[in-house]
Amino acid sequence: MNESRPDGKMVLAVDLGTTSAKVLAVDAGSLTGSGRAVIKARAERGYPLLSPQPGWAEQDPDRIAEAAAEAVREAVMAAGCGADGVLAVAFSTAMHSLIVTDEGGRALTRVLTWADLRAAGHARALRGSEEAADLPSRTGVPLHAMTPLAKLLWLRENRPDLFASAGRFIGIKEYVLERWFGRPVPMDESTAGGSGLYNLHGRTWDGKAAGIAGIGKDRLPEVGAPTHVLRGLLPDAAASLGLRPDVPVVLGAADGPLANLGGGALEPGVAALTIGTSGAVRVAVRRPAADPHGRLFCYPLAEGWWVAGGAVNSGGVVFRWMRDKLAPDLSGDGDGYARLVELAMEAPPGAGGLLFLPHLSGERAPHWDERARGVFLGLSLDHDRRHMLRAGLEGIVLHLRSVADALAGLAGGLREIRVSGGFARAAALRQLIADILGLPVVRTDSEDASAVGAARLALHALGLLPDLAAASASAVTDRCEPDPERAAVYDRLHGMFKRLYDRVSDSFADLDAFRSGG
């Protein structure tokens, strides 16, 4: 499908994230080469994460839809391109969301987000079930409470009337798009790939997984390619968004796989490492690469491309906890994070013999243990908050190394790390990542890698960007090489870090029972 030439026109990349809807107006012409994506305007609207009970993490789907519409309208105005200057709209979305709707698309629940752990018991039961033993290799997704599969099991047991009467089970992107188009829309393969219900090899809903969940495939959306183009916005929606009713809207993909595309990490051996609220390490592969050990995921990206990797809970949220609990004097400071890093770096590598497991809110890859918690080991009278802060930062990255090592074994060796996300803004932290992973760390030109990836995918869908790999390289702003002496220290510490988790993991279940009054 070929649209008019992109020169002078904008691609709107709508990124539905954990805490906000962000829209970038990207110059379409800048996306057709291998240079930097030129962002003409950026708009963002936040929304709260609701936790009515411990372990629950919900959001209001209508508030997210409103936030996305407001951000689109603002981005069009800020870019000054008008409706006729928008070549296409494309989506990036946070994964693993679940909304129960009636037949008409009205939401019957809030959004159950990826961070919602109410289905932890059901996920543990799945992990111990012979019937579900082959699901990770079939679906490419480890068995965990984050998945819609586990959430459906919770709903079936705890909300049986709602479960029985529900019309469909969809995600947040489908909900937003149905407000725009007034009809059911497909779920892209990439987002479906994170559900635990999609067959990675057959490229359709997995009958066995759906059967375990207790639903028929007819209550799930159709599955479409990430390059699938929707047309025919409702007139009222188009007017509200500031768009033409016939503007092409590309389904897009999940934010993790799109970060590889936007960050230029499609080459063999080049991994994308993102640390925002959570974190992930991912590589692009040319065929499905489900982990037989169930440690890592594999999701579709676009035709002929998949992304394998592992996501962790222990990212920027741990960084923020350290600031608030260990350095509250910096919490009200606009440069609080920069000063926190400076304070931590006053302690030596290895934090004077202090190790930290950063699993403050359970963990995903490679352990997939919702009950995991944080641990300081080696704390002594010689330590102060500088050592604790350094151990905390090191713990975040040491855990990501565990994911990177597992990924290297699955998809081949790694030779370079491309970083994005707020954590990587500080040069000292990029150097820390290089030293701990023992690999060169490259910072690309955009912290909005997922949104830039969505914009590139839109041009690919319109036939204006035939080769995704050739045009996915982002301009490099700096490069950190690992320091050999520090890398040797961290090699030793990583062995201790892994053994520490193995030795205390059984205690997490005991502590969880204690906290629950069991």
Side-chain angles (χ1 to χ4, degrees):
M1 178 185 304
N2 280 286
E3 298 288 327
S4 60
R5 291 293 306 163
D7 302 329
K9 294 195 174 184
M10 299 295 127
V11 175
L12 297 184
V14 183
D15 187 7
L16 301 177
T18 302
T19 58
S20 66
K22 182 189 304 177
V23 178
L24 305 186
V26 187
D27 181 88
S30 72
L31 296 168
T32 58
S34 60
R36 179 173 184 167
V38 177
I39 298 170
K40 293 291 189 179
R42 178 187 282 102
E44 188 170 5
R45 292 289 187 278
Y47 31 77
L49 190 66
L50 308 171
S51 185
Q53 296 189 42
W56 292 26
E58 304 177 337
Q59 290 174 324
D60 179 346
D62 290 314
R63 178 67 196 101
I64 294 175
E66 292 166 5
E70 291 168 5
V72 167
R73 185 166 59 249
E74 181 182 332
V76 172
M77 293 179 63
C81 60
D84 289 336
V86 176
L87 180 69
V89 181
F91 273 76
S92 163
T93 184
M95 303 186 79
H96 315 300
S97 63
L98 179 69
I99 306 171
V100 182
T101 74
D102 62 17
E103 291 287 356
R106 182 174 64 91
L108 302 177
T109 64
R110 290 172 173 165
V111 185
L112 278 62
T113 71
W114 67 266
D116 194 290
L117 295 178
R118 73 185 68 186
H122 295 83
R124 285 194 294 274
L126 283 175
R127 291 195 289 268
S129 163
E130 276 191 32
E131 183 186 17
D134 65 339
L135 285 188
S137 62
R138 294 168 66 94
T139 67
V141 186
L143 300 170
H144 188 265
M146 70 179 184
T147 62
L149 167 61
K151 293 173 176 126
L152 286 170
L153 292 172
W154 184 93
L155 285 168
R156 188 173 68 178
E157 180 177 319
N158 292 275
R159 302 284 304 276
D161 293 342
L162 173 68
F163 184 85
S165 63
R168 292 181 300 131
F169 303 99
I170 65 173
I172 186 56
K173 178 160 66 75
E174 295 73 56
Y175 188 82
V176 170
L177 284 171
E178 288 182 15
R179 308 277 80 70
W180 292 14
F181 286 92
R183 63 180 188 269
V185 301
M187 177 181 285
D188 72 84
E189 287 185 272
S190 180
T191 304
S195 67
L197 298 160
Y198 171 88
N199 189 289
L200 185 65
H201 311 283
R203 298 182 59 182
T204 186
W205 295 118
D206 187 89
K208 182 175 182 180
I212 289 173
I215 63 171
K217 298 179 186 179
D218 59 316
R219 293 211 281 173
L220 295 169
E222 291 184 13
V223 177
T227 51
H228 181 83
V229 177
L230 299 167
R231 294 180 187 268
L233 291 172
L234 292 171
D236 288 348
S240 174
L241 294 164
L243 300 173
R244 303 188 322 274
D246 64 342
V247 68
V249 178
V250 179
L251 280 186
D255 53 5
L258 282 173
N260 280 65
L261 176 58
L266 292 187
E267 297 177 30
V270 176
L273 187 151
T274 305
I275 309 180
T277 303
S278 56
V281 188
R282 302 171 304 273
V283 296
V285 292
R286 298 310 303 264
R287 62 181 183 276
D291 182 8
H293 304 293
R295 300 163 301 171
L296 304 170
F297 60 68
C298 184
Y299 305 137
L301 168 58
E303 189 67 43
W305 290 97
W306 289 260
V307 169
V312 304
N313 290 351
S314 309
V317 66
V318 177
F319 199 22
R320 184 166 59 247
W321 175 85
M322 289 191 296
R323 183 199 65 179
D324 295 345
K325 304 300 183 183
L326 300 177
D329 50 309
L330 303 182
S331 293
D333 191 326
D335 295 322
Y337 284 118
R339 293 183 58 203
L340 187 75
V341 173
E342 291 174 3
L343 195 60
M345 293 303 146
E346 291 178 11
L354 184 60
L355 277 176
F356 178 60
L357 294 184
H359 316 307
L360 301 183
S361 57
E363 198 46 273
R364 290 185 283 171
H367 308 301
W368 302 97
D369 184 356
E370 298 90 349
R371 296 179 292 195
R373 289 298 180 267
V375 176
F376 275 109
L377 178 71
L379 197 61
S380 73
L381 293 173
D382 296 330
H383 293 127
D384 57 33
R385 69 173 181 170
R386 295 172 301 170
H387 298 88
M388 297 178 74
L389 290 168
R390 174 123 196 175
L393 293 173
E394 289 176 344
I396 293 170
V397 184
L398 283 166
H399 181 59
L400 285 165
R401 173 170 168 172
S402 295
V403 178
D405 285 354
L407 185 57
L410 177 69
L414 304 182
R415 59 180 175 84
E416 181 181 284
I417 303 293
R418 294 205 164 203
V419 295
S420 63
F423 187 93
R425 288 176 190 158
L429 294 184
R430 296 195 296 277
Q431 187 64 56
L432 183 68
I433 294 168
D435 293 340
I436 290 179
L437 271 64
L439 292 166
V441 168
V442 169
R443 188 184 186 197
T444 56
D445 63 347
S446 176
E447 292 179 4
D448 301 306
S450 296
V452 171
R456 286 198 168 110
L457 192 64
L459 286 197
H460 183 60
L462 299 179
L464 298 172
L465 191 61
D467 188 348
L468 280 179
S472 71
S474 294
V476 172
T477 58
D478 62 48
R479 182 183 181 92
C480 293
E481 297 288 341
D483 177 271
E485 290 186 11
R486 290 193 295 266
V489 169
Y490 287 122
D491 272 341
R492 184 179 177 190
L493 285 172
H494 186 243
M496 299 179 199
F497 181 88
K498 291 191 296 182
R499 290 192 295 273
L500 174 59
Y501 179 87
D502 292 340
R503 288 169 180 167
V504 302
S505 58
D506 288 346
S507 298
F508 293 144
D510 297 335
L511 286 171
D512 183 68
F514 176 78
R515 282 194 301 268
S516 303

